[in-house]
Amino acid sequence: MRTLPPSSSTDQQLVAQVLGGDTAAFGHIVQRTEGLVAQLVFKMIRHPADRPDIAQEVYLKVFKNLASFKFQAKLSTWVGQVAYNTCLHYLEKKQLVLLDPAEAALDDAVETGRRAPPPLVADPAYDPESTLFSHDLASVLGAAIEDLPPLYRTLISLYHQQELSYEEIAQITSLPDGTVKNYLFRARKLLRQRLLARYQRDDL
């Protein structure tokens, strides 16, 4: 089967080509998804030495299970799901967690004794991105994101860097849409609190 140019091949065509024995077509799948896989692996796995092996394991699983892909989502979303689950298995094997309950409560603890924490819903008037994701704060923000719990920094990466929708993130992580929104809200809030605690408010 002749391989179409990667820019013109649909998900269905690439999958059919790979299943037909065209290994070059699988290379196109890797090219289309390696950015997403890299973000997931880098955000979920702290140890740099383990990341290449995990990324390789992801694509071995994708190749092995490609025939089971039913096109109920985009191919890239399915590959992202394989990557997420592979990283999750690694964390479980190492007895690590994506989000410690104590870490999840840190943002609420800041307000303890002064006022009740805000509800865990997306408030349209609350827009930390306009401040925290500005170009001038890129390096500061990047370092602060890396200090967040793995799940929080993964969700921020998928939403803000990969520009995935809530639905796509939910498919990748197997979390309900509402949970994705709430965790993203918590992640932004915790990120802002930590930045404000570390730097002068006028600097932000």
Side-chain angles (χ1 to χ4, degrees), residues 52-66:
D53 289 341
I54 293 172
Q56 183 179 41
E57 182 180 353
V58 168
Y59 283 111
L60 287 173
K61 288 181 177 179
V62 168
F63 185 81
K64 181 179 179 181
N65 296 286
L66 194 58

Side-chain angles (χ1 to χ4, degrees), residues 131 137 196 199-204:
T131 299
L137 286 173
L196 288 174
Y199 303 98
Q200 293 295 325
R201 182 178 294 272
D202 289 344
D203 293 335
L204 296 177

